[in-house]
Amino acid sequence: MESFDKIYHRAAERKGGEQALAYLISQPLTNDELVRVTDSDVLAEFTRAIFKSGFVWRIIEIKWAGFEEVFWGFDIDKLILMPDDMLERKAADTKIIRNYTKVKTVRDNAQWLKEICEEYGSVSQWLAQWPADDVVGLWQYMKKHGSRLGGNTGPYALRRLGKDTFILSSDVEAYFRGHKLIDGGLMTKRSLTTIQNAFNQWQKQSGYSLQELSQIIAYSVGDNRVGFSAETFNEDKESQNDE
């Protein structure tokens, strides 16, 4: 397996230098910051990721104010009491994307998150205590106990919430396959264990968060060689895509 230094220097060269690379990568929240995330915000991000899966992301963002209105600001205590007939009416509301199967996940995930709140005090407390060296265990837990949070849906929601996680984007997957670290299915137990162990080693070598490592890995492969001019660093920094 490659050392992190080799990966880092290749990513920096591809992006126009260390300053350009630093400009591109982003950091997760600290645990002290993460525990201040509200339960409704967690449910909102889970819902956003679920609706974005297999759909045009831009349209979800355009209609997001409608989602907030229809689902009462994602108030978990209200949503768990929603009867079936009301759920069906909300699934037909033109303010949101009309997909009953996905709309149903709002109540299902509200019920699951309510159970977590009762055990841990808040969902963010639960997320904060989950160890970074087993983030794939968190993904698997969310897939098993949540509704439609498998694949990359759960990880993308965690990333938006600020929980430290890597993302198995196409570039990150290409890295692991190109270096013969995995074969077969990406989300098999064997592949996920190999990937988690690799990130754990790189984290020990570098001190970077999983989020930063994930982005650096992505920038070290593929066709994304576009760098920045010096003038770029004098402009306001815009939000970057995950990978």
Side-chain angles (χ1 to χ4, degrees):
M1 190 177 78
E2 281 190 302
S3 70
F4 175 74
D5 281 346
K6 186 173 181 179
I7 297 168
Y8 173 84
H9 289 300
R10 183 170 65 247
E13 183 275 328
R14 292 164 60 86
K15 305 312 293 183
E18 294 187 15
Q19 187 181 11
L21 182 61
Y23 180 88
L24 288 169
I25 63 177
S26 59
Q27 298 179 356
L29 297 181
T30 66
N31 280 343
D32 286 343
E33 293 169 332
L34 183 60
V35 296
R36 294 197 288 271
V37 175
T38 67
D39 299 329
S40 59
D41 284 342
V42 176
L43 180 58
E45 289 305 334
F46 284 179
T47 303
R48 192 196 305 261
I50 289 166
F51 273 86
K52 282 184 173 181
S53 179
F55 201 76
V56 180
W57 290 24
R58 182 176 59 85
I59 295 177
I60 303 301
E61 294 300 336
I62 290 171
K63 297 179 76 73
W64 191 248
F67 280 82
E68 293 280 356
E69 178 185 344
V70 168
F71 296 116
W72 306 310
F74 293 94
D75 185 314
I76 288 176
D77 290 326
K78 289 182 179 179
L79 290 167
I80 62 176
L81 300 175
M82 186 167 48
D84 290 344
D85 60 337
M86 183 179 289
L87 190 69
E88 292 174 358
R89 290 197 299 274
K90 289 185 179 296
D93 197 316
T94 58
K95 296 186 187 73
I96 66 172
I97 302 301
R98 291 173 290 176
N99 182 316
Y100 178 78
T101 302
K102 290 187 176 184
V103 167
K104 188 175 181 294
T105 68
V106 178
R107 187 180 64 181
D108 292 343
N109 284 327
Q111 292 169 337
W112 166 52
L113 295 179
K114 180 65 174 177
E115 295 173 1
I116 292 176
C117 291
E118 291 173 348
E119 182 175 355
Y120 291 91
S122 71
V123 184
S124 57
Q125 290 279 1
W126 168 68
L127 289 174
Q129 61 82 41
W130 198 285
D133 64 359
D134 184 33
V135 75
V136 298
L138 177 57
W139 298 356
Q140 291 164 336
Y141 187 93
M142 291 168 61
K143 178 182 178 180
K144 179 179 180 180
H145 297 279
S147 180
R148 295 180 71 98
L149 291 172
N152 262 337
T153 303
Y156 272 114
L158 293 174
R159 173 68 64 82
R160 284 185 62 97
L161 286 165
K163 171 65 178 176
D164 191 20
T165 186
F166 49 84
I167 297 288
L168 297 183
S169 66
S170 57
D171 284 333
V172 173
E173 179 181 359
Y175 175 88
F176 278 90
R177 293 195 186 282
H179 287 79
K180 311 299 183 185
L181 296 173
I182 63 170
D183 54 24
L186 179 64
M187 291 293 182
T188 64
K189 182 177 180 180
R190 180 179 179 182
S191 292
L192 290 176
T193 298
T194 298
I195 292 167
Q196 178 75 72
N197 289 339
F199 272 97
N200 290 347
Q201 289 188 49
W202 290 324
Q203 191 166 45
K204 289 178 181 178
Q205 293 171 11
S206 69
Y208 280 109
S209 65
L210 297 177
Q211 179 168 323
E212 293 169 303
L213 289 170
S214 181
Q215 294 168 333
I216 292 168
I217 295 295
Y219 291 135
S220 75
V221 298
D223 297 325
N224 49 41
R225 286 182 173 272
V226 178
F228 289 93
S229 65
E231 289 79 9
T232 301
F233 298 100
N234 296 320
E235 300 174 355
D236 291 335
K237 183 175 180 180
E238 298 178 353
S239 297
Q240 303 295 328
N241 291 329
D242 288 312
E243 265 91 50

